[in-house]
Amino acid sequence: MSEVKIGAYICKGCGIGERLDTDQLEQIAAREGKAAIVRQHEFLCSTSGVQSIQNDISAGDVNRIVIAACSRRAKTEAFRFENVAISRANLREGVIWVRPDTEEALELTQEMAGDYLRMGCAEAKHMTPPSPHVESTTTREVLIVGGGLTGLTAALEASKAGYRATIVEKSGELGGWAAKLYRRTPHRSPYTDPQETGIADLIAAVQSDANISVQLDATITRTSGSPGRFFVDIATESGATRTDRFGAIIQATGFTPFDANKLPELGFGKSPDVVDQLGLERLAREANGGPIKRPSDGKDVRNVVFVQCAGQRSQSEGHLPYCSGHCCNTSIKQAMYFKDANPGVDTTILYTDLRSPGNGEDFYRSGQKKGVIFTKGVVKEVVPENGVLDVRLKDLILDEDVAIRADLVVLATGMVANSGVNIDAVPLDADKDAKPGEAHIEIPIESILNLDYRQGPDMPQLRHGFNDSHFICFPYETQRTGIYAAGPVRRPMDMVQVVDDAAGATLKAIQALENAGLGRAAHPRSGDLSFPSFRREGCTQCKRCTVECPFGAIDEDEKRYPIFNESRCRRCGTCMGACPVRVISFENYSVDSVGQQIKAVDIPDEFSEKPRILVLACENDAYPALDMAAMNRLEYSAFVRVIPVRCLGSVNTIWVTDALNGGYDSVVLMGCQKGENYQCHFVKGSEMAHYRMSKIDDTLQQLQMETERVCTYEVAITDIHRASQLINDMAATIDRIGLSPFKF
Amino acid sequence: MDDLNLAMRDRYRNNFLQEVEANVEEGEWAKMCMQCGVCSGSCPFGPHWDHPPQEIFMMIRANKREEVLSSTSMWLCTSCYNCIVRCPREIPITHIMHGLASYAQRLGLAPKEQPTRKFGLMFWDNIEKNGRVNESILGIKLYFMNGFKEGVKTAYKMAPVGWNMLRTKRFNPFALIPFLHKRCKKRSDIQAILRKAQQIENARTVRFGTAGG
C-alpha cells in the first residue's frame, strides 16, 4: 500500500462547534495524529462538507480519513467513500451529548474529544482500505436439498427471481410428506374446511420449469468450497456421481415423524386401530371421501379419539420436549374428515393446551361448529379390549379419571428434524447407557451435506436437533455461511409457514451468492469487503482459530496452517481474538488498529486524579445502547474511552493487558447475551470472550492489581440506562480502590 | 314432569350435548366453549358455584346430565352479564345458565330447596294470580319462605325500614289486605295467555325431543 496520508475532518454542527474548542482539536489531529490535511466544517454531512472530503480523496491528497463528527452508526450513507479507510471519532454521541454543558465540565469534555481524535487518527494510520477479493464470477445456481413442499417452493422462488435451481431428492418422487396427505389444513379464507394439498400442481410447475433440474434417488456425497463456489458431488442410485458448482445451498430436508413405537402405553403397535396422524392420512386417502374404515376389521369408524401431544411436549425419556406446532390443526382437520362424511361419527380431541397458530383459531371454531368435541385432559393409556379401544384419561377441567371407548385412536406425534449428524455431540459410550436386558435401538444417522469442512460434515444444530443459528433474530441463517435451512429442518412448522420459509431462505441464498461474487460478506456484516489473513511465519499452528470460528470458515492445510475461506467468513474477528500470537488481522480491523487507539489515549499522571476507563463495546448491541443513552442525554463519566469492536469475540486479551500496563485504571467489556438464549450476532463470540476474560484474573494478580478493574458484561441493545450506569459504577469503583499503579 | 325427564333421557341416550342444543335456550352454543375460564374468573358469585360456567360446559360435553341439571350452580346467576361481555367466543353464557335452570325446572330435576328457585316460583304465582306483581305480598311471603319463626324474625328486623317506607309513602299497607289490593283488569286474559305459552313450550320440547332422538 502506498504512503499513509491522513485527512481529518472536524464537524462543527449539532452543537459540537459551540461545546468544544475545535481549533485545539485541529492542532491535535495535525501534530499528534500526523494528519496531512485537517479541515473544519460547519456542517460536515452536508453536500459541501462531503464534497470537500471527496475532493481531497479524488486529488490523491488523502487515503485515510478521520471523520470527527457523530457516531459511526449515524450518517453512514453520507460518509461512504470508496477506496479509502475510514475512521469515525464520535464527538457527538460519545462526548457532548453525555457531558453536562457547564463551565466546570468543560476541561474534561475537551480532553475526551481530544482523545477520540487521537484514537481516530491512530486507527486510520493502521488501517488499509479493504479491496474485494473476487475469486470467480457469480454462480447463479442454487442447490436445494430435499424435494418436499419446502424444496419445491424454494426452487420455484429461485426460478422466479432468475436463478437456476437443482433439487436433490433422496427418494424416488417429489412432494415429500405433503404428497401423502389427503387434504391440508386451510390456507385460504374462510379457513373452515380442509383444502386440496395442491402438491401435484406444484410438482408439475417444477417439472415444466426450464430453470429447475431435479435429481431423484440422489444423495450428496461431498460438499466442498464456499459460497459462490460450492462443489457438490451428487450420487444417483445408478451409482453415477457428478460434481456440480453452486452459489448457495438451501437445506430443506424436512422431518421424520416421531417413531410412535416408542409409545406402547398409548397402544401403538398393540392394536392396528391405533395410528399416528400420517397413518390416518393413509386411511383417509383409501376412503377417499367415503366412510373411513378401521384397519383391524374394515368396519366403519363410529367413534374416533385424537390424542394430542403424544410423545411430545414431554420431559420423559425418549420423548420430544418441544411442540411441533401443526398437530392441533392437523387433528381438527382429520376430525373433519369424519364429520364431513358423516356428522354422526363421534370425534373427540384430547388436548392439554390447544394451539392453533396462523388462522387456526377460525378453523378450531369451525371444528366446534361441526360438532368435534374438545376435552382438556391427559391420556394415561390406551388399552385394546375385545376389538374396542379403552382410552383412559384424566379430565383436567373436571379433575377426574374417565375412560372413553373408541374404534380408532389417532396419536398426534411430533416432528424430528432431518438435520444429519450432530457434529457437536460428544460420542456416547453405548454400553454405559444401555440398561441391562433392554435393547439399545439407535438409528444410524447419515450425513446430509457431507461437508468437506474441518468442523464436521453437517451444520451445527441450535436446539433439539434443528439446524438454525437463531430461531427469532436470524431466521434461515445457519452457522455455515451460504447454506440456509428452511422448513421443518429449521424448526417445527406447518405448510403455510413452510411456504414463507422457503421464499425467505431462497432470498437469503441469492444474497449470499451475489455477495460472494463481489467478494463481500453476507449477514450480518453484509457488504464488508475485508477478510482475515494471517502472517504465516508467526503462526504456531495451534488451531485455536479453526476451532473457535463459529461459522466453520477456517480449514487446515496439510501442514496444519489455517486456510481462511473468505466467502464463508462473517468477518466477526473471533479468530483474531483467539490467536495467542496475534498473527490474524483484517485490512481495516486488526490487533494494531485497536491496540494503537488504546495507546493513543493521553494518560494523565497519577497526581492529576484523572482515571482512564477503557470500554470495548460490541458494535451491534452495546455501542448502539450507548449511542441511545447519549440521545437520551444520560450523562456518564468523562474518564471513559469507548472503542467499538466487531464482536466481543474479536477482543484479544493483549488489548486488556496493554491497556492496564499503559496506565488505564480499568477495562470494561460489553458484549451480547451469551448461552442458551444468546443474542450474539456471531453466535459464540460473546461466549468466547467471557470465557477468555475469566482467565484474566491471573494476569491481573501478576500485575498486583485488583480484579475488579476488569469487568465483562452482557449488554442488550435495550439496556440504555444500564450501559451508562455500568460505566458510572466503574468510575465509582476506581474512586474507591484508587488509581492504577502503572501511571508513568 | 318426571315422565318428561325420563322421556328426554331415553331420547338422547348418551348425548346430553345434543339434548342441551335442542331444548335449552341458546344451547347450541355449549359446544363452542374453548375452556379458557374467563367466565368463571369474571363471575362475582364464582367462588360460590359448585360448578362454574366453564365446568358446566365441560360437564355437558362429558355427558353428566343428572349432575348438571340437579346442580344449584346456574340458579346462582344474578344476570350481571360479566361473562357474556368477556367471553372471547361471544357465548351468551348468562342466557344459557338461565336456560339450563329453566330446563331443569321443567324436567323436575331442579334442587327443591334452592332459594332462587323458590322465589322464582313465588313471583310466578303472584303474577299469575294478580296479573301484576304485588310487591307487598311478595315481600312478606319471602320473609316466611323458610318457616314461620324465621319469617317473624326477618319481619321484626325489617320493621324500621318498613316504618320509613310507610312515612315516605313507599309502602301501602292496604295492599296486604285481600280484595283491597289492585289487580290488573281482565286478569283472566293474562292467565289464558300464560297457559297458552306453557302449552306451546311443552309441545316444542316434545317435538324437538323426538326429532333430536
Side-chain angles (χ1 to χ4, degrees):
Chain A
M1 192 64 205
S2 56
E3 132 195 49
V4 173
K5 286 179 278 189
I6 299 173
Y9 301 87
I10 302 166
C11 178
K12 294 169 77 173
C14 296
I16 298 174
E18 290 98 75
R19 297 280 305 276
L20 300 170
D21 178 356
T22 45
D23 293 337
Q24 193 232 354
L25 296 178
E26 186 175 328
Q27 280 184 15
I28 289 175
R31 288 186 195 158
E32 299 179 48
K34 302 276 186 285
I37 292 176
V38 189
R39 292 189 205 283
Q40 296 186 35
H41 196 280
E42 289 300 325
F43 186 14
L44 194 61
C45 57
S46 66
T47 319
S48 75
V50 172
Q51 193 56 48
S52 72
I53 302 174
Q54 189 58 54
N55 288 345
D56 290 344
I57 296 169
S58 308
D61 293 340
V62 294
N63 53 18
R64 314 274 203 283
I65 56 172
V66 180
I67 294 168
C70 42
S71 163
R72 59 161 60 190
R73 297 179 57 84
K75 301 287 169 196
T76 47
E77 293 295 319
F79 298 136
R80 178 168 295 162
F81 303 102
E82 299 289 323
N83 304 320
V84 289
I86 304 168
S87 172
R88 301 278 299 261
N90 187 357
L91 300 184
R92 193 178 70 174
E93 286 88 341
V95 182
I96 61 164
W97 281 0
V98 292
R99 298 298 306 149
D101 186 9
T102 56
E103 200 58 43
E104 51 271 28
L106 203 62
E107 183 195 338
L108 292 180
T109 310
Q110 184 68 25
E111 279 179 17
M112 218 177 172
D115 273 347
Y116 277 123
L117 216 66
R118 290 183 192 100
M119 290 155 78
C121 293
E123 187 188 18
K125 193 176 161 191
H126 290 88
M127 288 199 294
T128 11
S131 51
H133 290 241
V134 183
E135 289 171 333
S136 57
T137 50
T138 313
T139 313
R140 295 168 70 89
E141 178 114 17
V142 182
L143 171 67
I144 295 160
V145 189
L149 179 61
T150 319
L152 295 171
T153 313
L156 285 171
E157 293 288 347
S159 167
K160 276 187 227 162
Y163 294 80
R164 289 186 47 77
T166 298
I167 298 177
V168 172
E169 167 59 44
K170 191 171 72 174
S171 76
E173 55 195 24
L174 293 173
W177 294 115
K180 295 182 166 55
L181 304 183
Y182 171 56
R183 294 279 186 273
R184 63 180 284 190
T185 42
H187 62 291
R188 289 209 180 87
S189 178
Y191 306 104
T192 48
D193 300 292
Q195 292 178 354
E196 297 286 340
T197 60
I199 284 292
D201 294 344
L202 203 64
I203 293 172
V206 164
Q207 282 168 341
S208 62
D209 194 315
N211 277 334
I212 303 173
S213 66
V214 176
Q215 293 284 320
L216 294 175
D217 294 312
T219 52
I220 291 167
T221 51
R222 184 165 178 270
T223 304
S224 62
S226 54
R229 45 175 195 96
F230 281 116
F231 295 96
V232 182
D233 296 354
I234 301 168
T236 43
E237 207 175 29
S238 58
T241 301
R242 50 185 259 224
T243 305
D244 282 337
R245 178 180 165 140
F246 296 98
I249 299 173
I250 295 171
Q251 183 169 331
T253 42
F255 70 100
T256 304
F258 176 79
D259 181 10
N261 284 309
K262 291 181 185 165
L263 304 170
E265 69 276 16
L266 297 181
F268 195 89
K270 290 183 185 168
S271 163
D273 297 331
V274 180
V275 294
D276 63 2
Q277 289 185 323
L278 280 159
L280 188 85
E281 293 293 338
R282 198 168 49 244
L283 296 178
R285 282 164 69 87
E286 282 165 12
N288 197 21
I292 292 173
K293 315 268 191 213
R294 267 155 61 102
S296 60
D297 52 14
K299 284 186 187 152
D300 289 1
V301 175
R302 301 284 306 164
N303 196 328
V304 56
V305 170
F306 296 86
V307 180
Q308 298 308 109
C309 304
Q312 52 178 334
R313 296 183 64 221
S314 150
Q315 298 304 318
S316 305
E317 178 75 32
H319 289 193
L320 306 178
Y322 51 86
C323 166
S324 292
H326 76 95
C327 349
C328 284
N329 282 336
T330 301
S331 285
I332 297 172
K333 174 192 76 174
Q334 295 185 338
M336 286 188 187
Y337 291 169
F338 292 94
K339 281 286 181 192
D340 289 346
N342 174 8
V345 177
D346 285 335
T347 54
T348 309
I349 294 179
L350 304 175
Y351 67 96
T352 50
D353 302 283
L354 203 87
R355 294 176 173 180
S356 50
N359 287 291
E361 199 59 29
D362 288 339
F363 194 49
Y364 174 20
R365 206 177 276 119
S366 170
Q368 287 181 307
K369 279 188 186 138
K370 289 182 181 186
V372 180
I373 299 289
F374 292 84
T375 299
K376 189 177 171 85
V378 180
V379 178
K380 291 178 171 165
E381 55 179 344
V382 177
V383 184
E385 271 176 357
N386 309 325
V388 205
L389 299 161
D390 201 34
V391 184
R392 294 171 193 173
L393 68 141
K394 169 145 184 122
D395 189 313
L396 292 177
I397 300 289
L398 305 178
D399 194 25
E400 60 184 16
D401 291 322
V402 285
I404 302 176
R405 296 178 77 75
D407 301 331
L408 187 72
V409 169
V410 184
L411 305 180
T413 54
M415 291 176 158
V416 181
N418 291 337
S419 48
V421 178
N422 182 5
I423 60 170
D424 294 321
V426 186
L428 288 172
D429 187 357
D431 293 334
K432 196 176 68 186
D433 275 7
K435 289 175 193 128
E438 193 181 311
H440 191 74
I441 308 158
E442 199 57 63
I443 303 152
I445 297 172
E446 287 175 13
S447 171
I448 286 165
L449 296 173
N450 282 302
L451 289 169
D452 187 22
Y453 285 19
R454 182 221 180 277
Q455 291 81 3
D458 277 303
M459 293 195 283
Q461 297 167 4
L462 175 59
R463 208 171 295 169
H464 308 315
F466 291 93
N467 286 136
D468 203 326
S469 69
H470 199 291
F471 289 137
I472 295 164
C473 294
F474 320 118
Y476 327 119
E477 288 290 346
T478 66
Q479 287 187 55
R480 294 292 175 260
T481 312
I483 309 177
Y484 297 91
V489 74
R490 188 170 83 73
R491 63 170 178 77
M493 60 177 75
D494 63 21
M495 288 168 73
V496 172
Q497 290 168 316
V498 154
V499 172
D500 289 349
D501 229 47
T506 308
L507 292 178
K508 279 279 180 187
I510 291 170
Q511 276 176 8
L513 65 87
E514 289 290 353
N515 272 326
L518 297 168
R520 303 194 304 198
H523 167 94
R525 291 187 57 82
S526 190
D528 191 349
L529 294 172
S530 69
F531 72 97
S533 59
F534 77 114
R535 203 159 45 79
R536 195 179 176 90
E537 56 279 16
C539 176
T540 58
Q541 297 129 300
C542 74
K543 297 194 286 186
R544 216 178 275 177
C545 52
T546 59
V547 172
E548 293 191 1
C549 173
F551 302 102
I554 313 172
D555 287 328
E556 283 155 20
D557 67 11
E558 59 283 356
K559 286 183 181 163
R560 304 253 170 212
Y561 283 111
I563 304 171
F564 292 92
N565 293 282
E566 65 178 78
S567 55
R568 279 194 225 160
C569 173
R570 308 271 182 110
R571 281 74 164 171
C572 59
T574 299
C575 49
M576 187 172 114
C579 184
V581 286
R582 299 175 295 282
V583 295
I584 301 172
S585 62
F586 295 79
E587 289 144 312
N588 53 3
Y589 185 63
S590 62
V591 172
D592 253 7
S593 77
V594 175
Q596 293 300 326
Q597 288 186 67
I598 294 170
K599 291 201 176 93
V601 171
D602 183 38
I603 307 284
D605 62 34
E606 58 189 308
F607 307 109
S608 55
E609 297 285 313
K610 286 174 183 167
R612 286 290 176 259
I613 302 166
L614 174 67
V615 174
L616 296 169
C618 163
E619 67 177 11
N620 296 304
D621 278 39
Y623 199 69
L626 285 171
D627 275 358
M628 284 189 277
M631 288 169 203
N632 287 300
R633 302 299 193 276
L634 299 172
E635 289 171 11
Y636 57 73
S637 167
F639 302 128
V640 73
R641 303 292 178 262
V642 185
I643 300 179
V645 293
R646 288 188 177 183
C647 174
L648 213 57
S650 70
V651 171
N652 196 300
T653 46
I654 192 71
W655 295 340
V656 179
T657 325
D658 278 359
L660 293 172
N661 275 324
Y664 281 86
D665 299 279
S666 149
V667 181
V668 177
L669 286 87
M670 295 186 181
C672 301
Q673 188 175 318
K674 62 179 170 47
E676 176 111 330
N677 294 311
Y678 71 87
Q679 292 180 359
C680 177
H681 284 50
F682 302 102
V683 186
K684 288 194 301 191
S686 178
E687 189 147 349
M688 298 308 313
H690 277 78
Y691 175 73
R692 290 175 199 151
M693 288 308 143
S694 69
K695 313 268 180 196
I696 204 95
D697 286 2
D698 295 343
T699 318
L700 288 167
Q701 275 153 5
Q702 277 171 16
L703 292 169
Q704 306 275 314
M705 288 179 112
E706 296 82 355
T707 47
E708 299 115 286
R709 290 190 191 273
V710 179
C711 287
T712 313
Y713 296 111
E714 294 170 47
V715 176
I717 197 161
T718 48
D719 287 346
I720 297 165
H721 287 81
R722 183 167 160 260
S724 48
Q725 187 56 45
L726 288 173
I727 290 174
N728 288 335
D729 289 351
M730 184 50 93
T733 305
I734 302 298
D735 239 14
R736 181 165 53 78
I737 62 176
L739 295 182
S740 159
F742 286 90
K743 305 261 184 194
F744 301 109
Chain B
M1 286 297 222
D2 277 356
D3 297 343
L4 182 60
N5 174 32
L6 292 176
M8 289 310 224
R9 201 187 60 193
D10 289 347
R11 256 169 217 147
Y12 293 102
R13 277 187 311 274
N14 277 324
N15 208 327
F16 184 42
L17 178 63
Q18 268 180 24
E19 183 178 346
V20 169
E21 283 180 2
N23 297 297
V24 172
E25 185 185 353
E26 306 275 14
E28 66 278 10
W29 281 94
K31 61 176 181 271
M32 297 306 290
C33 170
M34 62 175 188
Q35 296 298 324
C36 65
V38 166
C39 49
S40 306
S42 306
C43 181
F45 273 82
H48 304 286
W49 292 42
D50 289 342
H51 309 290
Q54 173 201 13
E55 224 169 279
I56 295 274
F57 289 125
M58 201 65 225
M59 288 161 77
I60 292 173
R61 293 185 211 168
N63 245 345
K64 295 185 177 291
R65 185 175 188 274
E66 308 298 313
E67 263 183 72
V68 171
L69 292 176
S70 59
S71 161
T72 58
S73 294
M74 52 272 187
W75 293 94
L76 288 176
C77 174
T78 58
S79 304
C80 73
Y81 288 88
N82 253 352
C83 51
I84 291 198
V85 169
R86 294 186 184 168
C87 176
R89 278 287 166 86
E90 300 173 334
I91 300 173
I93 301 166
T94 310
H95 302 169
I96 299 172
M97 291 304 129
H98 291 316
L100 280 169
S102 153
Y103 185 59
Q105 170 66 20
R106 256 155 54 205
L107 298 186
L109 290 174
K112 297 279 178 293
E113 290 307 306
Q114 217 290 326
T116 313
R117 174 182 167 275
K118 279 188 179 173
F119 174 73
L121 290 174
M122 250 180 241
F123 182 88
W124 189 253
D125 184 53
N126 191 307
I127 211 165
E128 205 176 18
K129 271 191 191 143
N130 304 315
R132 58 179 289 182
V133 181
N134 183 319
E135 287 180 354
S136 308
I137 292 179
L138 185 64
I140 297 289
K141 272 196 166 173
L142 194 60
Y143 293 174
F144 290 91
M145 185 172 75
N146 296 321
F148 184 72
K149 206 175 143 194
E150 190 127 329
V152 173
K153 257 163 103 183
T154 318
Y156 186 73
K157 198 176 77 188
M158 297 303 286
V161 179
W163 182 243
N164 284 338
M165 284 172 71
L166 196 64
R167 275 200 327 187
T168 52
K169 294 182 180 160
R170 300 278 163 184
F171 171 53
N172 176 13
F174 297 109
L176 288 173
I177 303 165
F179 313 112
L180 272 183
H181 71 239
K182 283 183 187 164
R183 292 174 173 167
C184 78
K185 291 171 198 164
K186 288 198 175 177
R187 63 196 160 97
S188 58
D189 283 4
I190 293 223
Q191 284 161 352
I193 290 169
L194 291 177
R195 267 199 306 279
K196 183 69 189 169
Q198 187 72 54
Q199 228 177 27
I200 293 171
E201 188 169 74
N202 286 346
R204 200 184 63 155
T205 308
V206 174
R207 187 158 50 84
F208 276 117
T210 320

